[in-house]
Amino acid sequence: MTSAAALFTAGLASAHVTVQPGEAAKGSYTKVAFRVPNESSTAGTVKVEVTLPKDYPLTSVRTKAVPGWKASVTKVKSAEKEVVSTITWQADSGVRINPDEFAEFEVSLGKLPANTDKLVLPATQTYDDGKVVKWDAPPAADGQEPEHPAPVLKLTAAAGDGHGHGGATTAAGAKTDGHKDAAASGTDTSARWLGGAGLAVGALGLGFGVGAILRGRRSAA
């Protein structure tokens, strides 16, 4: 039996622990999920532990409640501040990730570093038969996937980090060029001037018309 969130029968015998989605913006706070497939055909997963990198410490980690699992966050002192070292999910009695199933454990992380392109997040998976599998191998230099790869969160440039020239953000959130903004501003000013002039001419014409009517009535009288 299992009551972990997001369980599906999917035949994941060759899968490994991953972080979803696989990328986030540098310097941001983000929500990710650690996807944990059960690779054993006879045992169930009852514990998952994720280790956060010491070189890029994170001060804020919040876990989302998963029915049947208890989450705990371990903190340590680093550079006179508390940072998170590990996140652990422990299944309640009678709860596990069954064979051919997987579970997702969501967390909110931050503030993500801006001086690296990835965070390597080793995971340890424990089965109810005592077997322990460590998903801790960093990405290989030749691009080949190791036997037990660690989950990796890729970090991308934050929005607005491009080399724009006098750009600004529109109400719709789109980036615009400074020269275009100036041209648009000039066009808007001209339109307002012409509109004002048109109203003045219209008012003058209306005055002449009223005057003509009054003179006509006086002549008739």
Side-chain angles (χ1 to χ4, degrees):
M1 174 183 177
T2 179
S3 58
L7 299 181
F8 301 90
T9 55
L12 301 174
S14 60
H16 50 269
V17 179
T18 58
V19 59
Q20 303 293 329
E23 63 180 39
K26 296 179 180 181
S28 70
Y29 289 82
T30 189
K31 184 183 78 170
V32 298
F34 290 95
R35 182 173 295 172
V36 183
N38 195 91
E39 292 194 310
S40 174
S41 60
T42 58
T45 299
V46 293
K47 182 179 178 182
V48 178
E49 182 179 86
V50 174
T51 301
L52 302 186
K54 295 180 180 179
D55 294 341
Y56 306 103
L58 302 178
T59 58
S60 176
V61 173
R62 296 180 183 272
T63 59
K64 183 177 180 179
V66 179
W69 294 77
K70 289 184 175 64
S72 59
V73 175
T74 302
K75 296 183 178 181
V76 297
K77 283 283 187 179
S78 175
E80 299 183 354
K81 63 181 178 180
E82 276 195 337
V83 300
V84 179
S85 59
T86 59
I87 312 169
T88 304
W89 290 271
Q90 178 70 58
D92 294 339
S93 177
V95 176
R96 68 177 192 170
I97 306 174
N98 290 316
D100 295 326
E101 293 180 343
F102 74 92
E104 289 187 340
F105 301 90
E106 293 184 341
V107 297
S108 173
L109 302 173
K111 184 179 182 180
L112 299 179
N115 57 343
T116 183
D117 293 329
K118 63 180 178 292
L119 289 181
V120 180
L121 305 164
T124 302
Q125 183 175 13
T126 302
Y127 291 86
D128 55 9
D129 63 356
K131 182 181 180 180
V132 176
V133 179
K134 291 185 177 295
W135 303 96
D136 57 0
D142 59 3
Q144 295 295 316
E145 184 174 270
E147 183 177 359
H148 290 93
V152 175
L153 179 64
K154 296 180 180 179
L155 301 182
T156 60
D161 280 356
H163 302 288
H165 300 284
T169 303
T170 66
K175 192 78 171 177
T176 59
D177 182 80
H179 298 296
K180 292 181 181 179
D181 286 346
S185 177
T187 301
D188 183 61
T189 300
S190 299
R192 291 181 181 178
W193 185 89
L194 290 173
L199 289 175
V201 171
L204 186 60
L206 179 61
F208 282 128
V210 172
I213 292 172
L214 291 175
R215 286 194 298 273
R217 288 180 178 178
R218 289 173 183 172
S219 298

